[in-house]
Amino acid sequence: MTEEFLLNTGSTIEEGRLAKGGCKLTEDYTQECATCQMNPEDFRRLGCPQKVKVTSRNGLHSVVVYASSSDALKPGHVFMPRAIWSNVVVDPETFSTGSPLYKGSPVRIEPTDDRVLDACDLVDKLYGRGN
């Protein structure tokens, strides 16, 4: 089952602490940032998955992240910390501002059993060997 959502990204306190502390290559950073939070209703409708594949609006880019529910989100909206995982699927259009659309990017989400990549493996997949 694949559903459409609006992706909102932003910094979290823990993401900032880890990033500013030079810990972007740690398991703690992956656990904090390779996540997608969604409204409990949406989460249940997707089957309460442990992991989801988030795909960009144009279908060209996708990333696998951990899934969780949060009462802080409205139905149809998801939140990912602003890090490499969300940057894979954020709409790159800047509307002449120089900053991508970090709020309200349309994405498709589906449950998956695929592996969540850490930052090094994700960069290697996106820009490394064979690309």
Side-chain angles (χ1 to χ4, degrees), residues 104-118:
S105 288
V107 293
R108 291 190 315 269
I109 296 180
E110 61 189 303
T112 186
D113 289 325
D114 292 349
R115 183 170 73 96
V116 174
L117 300 178
D118 63 26

Side-chain angles (χ1 to χ4, degrees), residues 35-82:
T35 63
C36 178
Q37 297 176 359
M38 57 189 71
N39 176 276
E41 198 175 292
D42 294 331
F43 185 68
R44 281 190 295 275
R45 193 170 51 256
L46 285 174
C48 301
Q50 289 186 335
K51 298 178 282 186
V52 292
K53 181 166 117 177
V54 182
T55 302
S56 62
R57 171 176 51 181
N58 62 12
L60 297 177
H61 307 286
S62 63
V63 65
V64 174
V65 294
Y66 300 105
S68 64
S69 67
S70 170
D71 290 326
L73 294 163
K74 293 181 178 183
H77 290 255
V78 297
F79 176 81
M80 292 176 68
R82 196 163 67 190

Side-chain angles (χ1 to χ4, degrees), residues 85-98:
W85 295 270
S86 61
N87 285 344
V88 170
V89 295
V90 164
D91 190 337
E93 177 60 57
T94 67
F95 304 100
S96 299
T97 67

